[in-house]
Amino acid sequence: MRQFDLAPLYRSTVGFDRLFSALDQFVSAETAPSYPPYNIERTGENAYRITVAVAGFTEADLSIEVKENALTLKGDRKPDATKRTEVLHQGIAARGFERRFQLADYVQVTGAVLENGLLHIDLVREIPEAKKPRQIQIATGRPAEAPAIEGSVQQAA
């Protein structure tokens, strides 16, 4: 794959560091971890759901953290000390993981549910009223006249 050097863009821009970091991550996507598998779904106009396959993990093994615009999901499965069986073949992954998702502005996590080995994380985008587009009325005719200040004008002789 081709390598892209974004260094010249860093030198000529201010305030776009996060954008270029995201581009760097996108370009190097082939080195991104693929475990655990996940889906991202749109469930409404401003609602989303991330579904992560976490077979064998319990609520105590998982942690979800939101910091700034990053959602971090960590899983660390502890071995069961009371289990006395010998595993002949292990096809279900039991390794720990950390998966990060970059969230857009105004996206909030509203809840998480673990059911049937799938962790569902619900998100919603809530744009503040001050940031929403609004219509500006266009007045017809001239603007209202400003009140005139009355007085006398003296002419120079």
Side-chain angles (χ1 to χ4, degrees):
M1 178 168 173
R2 296 183 185 136
Q3 295 293 325
F4 296 100
D5 183 19
L6 300 176
L9 296 174
Y10 282 110
R11 290 190 300 262
S12 62
T13 59
V14 176
F16 290 95
D17 300 339
R18 212 170 98 208
L19 172 68
F20 295 134
S21 295
L23 285 173
D24 280 339
Q25 289 174 357
F26 180 73
V27 169
S28 63
E30 59 190 41
T31 61
S34 61
Y35 178 79
Y38 65 93
N39 292 339
I40 300 176
E41 309 166 66
R42 178 180 283 215
T43 58
E45 185 177 338
N46 288 317
Y48 304 91
R49 172 176 270 188
I50 299 173
T51 302
V52 185
V54 289
F57 288 85
T58 65
E59 293 92 349
D61 299 333
L62 299 169
S63 70
I64 301 171
E65 179 181 295
V66 178
K67 184 176 180 182
E68 295 175 3
N69 285 0
L71 168 68
T72 304
L73 173 62
K74 294 180 185 176
D76 188 24
R77 190 168 163 203
K78 291 137 186 92
D80 189 1
T82 62
K83 201 173 194 182
R84 296 184 184 259
T85 60
E86 180 182 356
V87 177
L88 300 177
H89 170 75
Q90 183 162 355
I92 299 174
R95 64 184 185 262
F97 65 88
E98 182 173 330
R99 172 71 73 171
R100 294 180 190 268
F101 298 94
Q102 197 67 31
L103 301 178
D105 291 336
Y106 312 116
V107 173
Q108 303 293 322
V109 176
T110 59
V113 177
L114 180 63
E115 63 179 356
N116 301 328
L118 297 174
L119 177 65
H120 302 287
I121 303 170
D122 293 316
L123 307 126
V124 67
R125 181 175 50 189
E126 295 175 346
I127 301 172
E129 285 297 321
K131 299 289 184 179
K132 289 184 179 176
R134 55 190 172 103
Q135 286 291 96
I136 306 298
Q137 293 294 329
I138 301 172
T140 57
R142 297 184 347 192
E145 300 244 350
I149 299 175
E150 294 184 18
S152 61
V153 177
Q154 296 180 356
Q155 294 191 5

